[in-house]
Every structure is written in C-alpha cells, then in structure tokens.
Amino acid sequence: TKQNMFLQTTEGEPYRNALQYAVYGFMAAKVIQTQKPGVSVTSCLALSQAALHLARTNSAMSKTWLHQYCFIPRRIVNNREWYRFLTAPLMHTNEFHLLLNVISLLNVGSVLERQYGKARFLFLTFVTAVASGMMDVALSYGLDTILQQPKYFNQVSVGFSGIISALAVLTTQHTKVYGMIVPSDPTYYIKYEK
C-alpha cells in the first residue's frame, strides 16, 4: 500500500478501516451530544466534512479529488480557481486531522452559533474561509517573490484549521479601553514563571 501525506489508502489494512469507523462513530456521538433542538449549522459542517472524507478515502478517485479541490495558491491566482477557498477546508489528510478539526469546530462553533445565530454564524464561517485563504495566498505570493522560491506559491493545504483559528478569536471576551479592544480575561495578563 502506498502512503504519502495526502493519500493514505485503506486497501489491505483492516485496522485502518476499524479506526476510520471508530473516528466517525466518535464524531457522530459528539455531534449528537452538542445538538440542540433544530438543525445546527455547526453539526452540518462537521458531518459534511466527515462524509466528504469518508467518500474521498473510499473512492477510486481519491487522489483526483484531493488534487482537484485542495488549496494551491498558484492555481487560485493563475487559473482563477476561486472555489478552492471553500472546498479545501472541507478536505482532510487523514482521520486524525479530521477528528481534531471536527472536535474543535464543535466546541468553537456551538458557542458562536448560540451567540450570533445560525445565519450569522454561517456567514462568519464563509468570511473566515475566504479571509484565511486570501491571507495564505498573499503570504505565499510574498514569500515566493521575496525569496525567489516557488515552493511557497505551490504549497498544498487542506483542512478547517484556519477557519477554526479565526472563529476561536471571536469566542474570546474583549473590552474597549480608550477605544482599543483588549482581552478582558485577567488570566491573559498573568505571566507564569518557572
């Protein structure tokens, strides 16, 4: 069985299939645990990521899917493949990557969805997906230009981590002091010394 960072086949690996289903079972239990009455945007996002991963890993077109939908700055800029801003976050390299992203999404997303409502939360998720992707494109283009190394502009990435990080910032409590937004959590200012 061939394995690389972006494609790990399951042929001839029964333990891997068992791990896949254990991960999906755990994620389903977590989704059910966080589910309130009504349809949750957070749960739909989590389940769609799991469903896409399951379909991709059990598909003969697995490698094609990942290459066609992953985040590659050069292809976004040169070929105007804007859809990659929204498809790459839904793809994951393996079950562990998926599990960490889904658990983080369920924790952060459930808080924000209650705080802002379903429509605003979905809009925030869309905006952070595009914004984190644009930042990635800008940084990779800048590094490629400055360092004259095309590896930065040709990098491949997948996953929901950029969106989760941006959304996590919104869960932090802030206050305004003389017009400046600062964290209001007192533990933020405590420095721990060894």
Side-chain angles (χ1 to χ4, degrees), residues 33-46:
Q33 178 187 7
T34 59
Q35 182 73 11
K36 304 291 184 234
V39 177
S40 164
V41 171
T42 304
S43 297
C44 289
L45 286 170

Side-chain angles (χ1 to χ4, degrees), residues 168-188:
V169 170
L170 298 174
T171 63
T172 307
Q173 297 298 318
H174 292 77
T175 189
K176 286 189 175 184
V177 177
Y178 298 108
M180 293 175 33
I181 297 175
V182 294
S184 59
D185 181 6
T187 59
Y188 179 83

Side-chain angles (χ1 to χ4, degrees), residues 61-80:
M61 297 176 54
S62 182
K63 197 171 190 174
T64 306
W65 273 34
L66 199 57
H67 183 71
Q68 186 173 354
Y69 299 112
C70 66
F71 194 88
I72 306 172
R74 183 172 303 282
R75 302 237 0 215
I76 291 170
V77 173
N78 293 349
N79 301 349
R80 298 178 188 224

Side-chain angles (χ1 to χ4, degrees), residues 146-167:
I146 293 168
L147 301 177
Q148 298 295 314
Q149 293 184 4
K151 69 179 180 182
Y152 297 106
F153 208 44
N154 289 323
Q155 70 182 353
V156 175
S157 60
V158 292
F160 217 74
S161 303
I163 298 168
I164 293 168
S165 298
L167 292 173

Side-chain angles (χ1 to χ4, degrees), residues 57-123:
T57 56
N58 292 321
S59 168
M61 297 176 54
S62 182
K63 197 171 190 174
T64 306
W65 273 34
L66 199 57
H67 183 71
Q68 186 173 354
Y69 299 112
C70 66
F71 194 88
I72 306 172
R74 183 172 303 282
R75 302 237 0 215
I76 291 170
V77 173
N78 293 349
N79 301 349
R80 298 178 188 224
E81 295 176 357
W82 310 118
Y83 64 89
R84 291 177 187 268
F85 284 117
L86 301 176
T87 57
L90 300 175
M91 308 296 272
H92 294 82
T93 56
N94 56 38
E95 287 77 21
F96 187 67
H97 182 208
L98 174 67
L99 181 64
L100 289 177
N101 277 198
V102 166
I103 289 173
S104 299
L105 171 64
L106 290 171
N107 289 326
V108 171
S110 59
V111 170
L112 292 175
E113 190 171 347
R114 280 193 304 273
Q115 185 176 347
Y116 294 112
K118 294 175 187 348
R120 285 186 181 162
F121 173 68
L122 187 60
F123 179 72

